[in-house]
Amino acid sequence: MNPATVDFISECFVKPPHLPEEANEPYYLAAWDLAMLSTNCIQKGLLFAKPSEQHFKITDFLDKLKHSLSLTLFHFYPLIGRLTTSKTEDPAEYIVYVECNNSPGARFVHASINMTISDVLTPNYVPLVVQSFFDHDRALNHDGHFRSLLTIQVTDLVDGVFIGCSMNHVMGDGSSFWQFLNSFSEVFQAEGKNITISRPPVLKRWFPDGYGPIVNLPFTDHQQFLSHYEPPLLKERMFHFSSESIAKLKAKANTNITSKISSFQALSAFIWRCITRARDLPRDQITNCRLACNDRSRLNPPLPENYFGNCIYALAASATAGELLDNDLGWAAGKVNQAVAGHTNEKLRELLECWLKYPKIYRIREVNDPYSVMMGSSPRFNKYGNEFGLGKALALRSGYAHKFSGKVSGYPGREGGGNVDLEVCLPPEIMSALESDQEFWVAVS
């Protein structure tokens, strides 16, 4: 039996009913944004059960989604644009920014597949076809020069609907991504009667004093900084951790520790140790636990919570494999805690000013290694609050983007209450070893 494939039915482009005056001007990007030009887009989506009511029609649902998207994009107007590069030789300039007034808009795709909800959720490993529920497969953010900066893809299943959102990562981080999706759902739930939103984005990009708003990159051609990355064969699996299990890990991590270890620090350290053990690394091999840290509140003065853009940094706790496994969970969690505590306003500004003086574009191949763990996304984001008139989603899933050995993404558990789902990506043999780890399974719900 051949595996099911996605059938693409239609596409269109969506714009707001009108644009603010600012949309006529170039929309300049900040340092953290431009650093993302050679990484992938953000791809996250929600799986819903189809309403049992006979009056539900997918065509009506799609029309309402498009209308709501149009109204939402008024508040997030840079997402309708395309990237533009301006370069000159004398003086030497290479500037990448967003242009909105000559763009077709955000992309909206309707697709279908002969699969059921059970076909998606029942297998131990996330079916590879789920990656086809998203636009921008394998695209780099630099492709925003000719591809949409935002795409909503609605994939019609036999008994469900999957709403996949792909957003160019130069436009924002996970916090901004979910702020947009929360606003989109809010407008949809209001049935187009009110285009105001509860959390309007702060669109003006932030630069430290003495810099901005234009960043001149030290390149003459995009091939000098672009790099595609194809990971090895991976297995992707969702693991559920109950609030009770996480509380036990936290209590264990805080035994004989002077610093206060948070729940997520304890969980991150636990995953770091378990994956390191599954990899069976040489004792002297350096391994890192990286965490994508939201820096809005860490700056002084802090940036607004609704700052729309990238404001993250992947801090790292380091140890040899021998040190990590010879010591207990509290020791590993202490390493993570120290890395977080050292991520101060002063450190952030030092890193940012260094980048502005010597700009560097992140490449997935260079910032990740087969010995480390990367904790991405966050269970704190409001993900299951996006209902689009279909009730609470059954599950969260992601696309191809940013998947490599040791990538772990944190989602809130569907039932709330401090439960966490972790999306773990590992090569098959290492995943098998992790699944055979007794300490790991004791903690998994």
Side-chain angles (χ1 to χ4, degrees), residues 299-349:
L299 288 166
N300 185 20
L303 290 183
E305 181 184 357
N306 295 340
Y307 174 80
F308 191 80
N310 285 284
C311 192
I312 53 172
Y313 188 81
L315 53 86
S318 299
T320 65
E323 288 174 329
L324 189 62
L325 299 181
D326 286 347
N327 289 285
D328 61 12
L329 176 62
W331 185 90
K335 285 284 187 179
V336 174
N337 179 269
Q338 288 170 19
V340 173
H343 198 56
T344 61
N345 169 67
E346 292 75 20
K347 181 65 174 177
L348 270 170
R349 289 178 179 272

Side-chain angles (χ1 to χ4, degrees), residues 49-57 389-390:
K50 276 185 181 174
S52 57
E53 296 89 345
Q54 293 183 353
H55 66 264
F56 176 80
K57 293 182 179 179
L390 300 173

Side-chain angles (χ1 to χ4, degrees), residues 357-385:
K357 291 176 181 176
Y358 308 102
K360 183 179 180 181
I361 307 302
Y362 299 144
R363 302 182 186 189
I364 299 175
R365 186 186 307 276
E366 295 174 354
V367 298
N368 298 291
D369 64 70
Y371 313 115
S372 298
V373 171
M374 174 69 201
M375 304 295 295
S377 196
S378 173
R380 294 181 179 179
F381 295 146
N382 176 19
K383 300 178 181 181
Y384 282 103

Side-chain angles (χ1 to χ4, degrees), residues 46-65:
L46 297 155
L47 177 62
F48 299 91
K50 276 185 181 174
S52 57
E53 296 89 345
Q54 293 183 353
H55 66 264
F56 176 80
K57 293 182 179 179
I58 191 67
T59 52
D60 294 342
F61 178 66
L62 295 172
D63 287 342
K64 187 175 177 182
L65 275 177

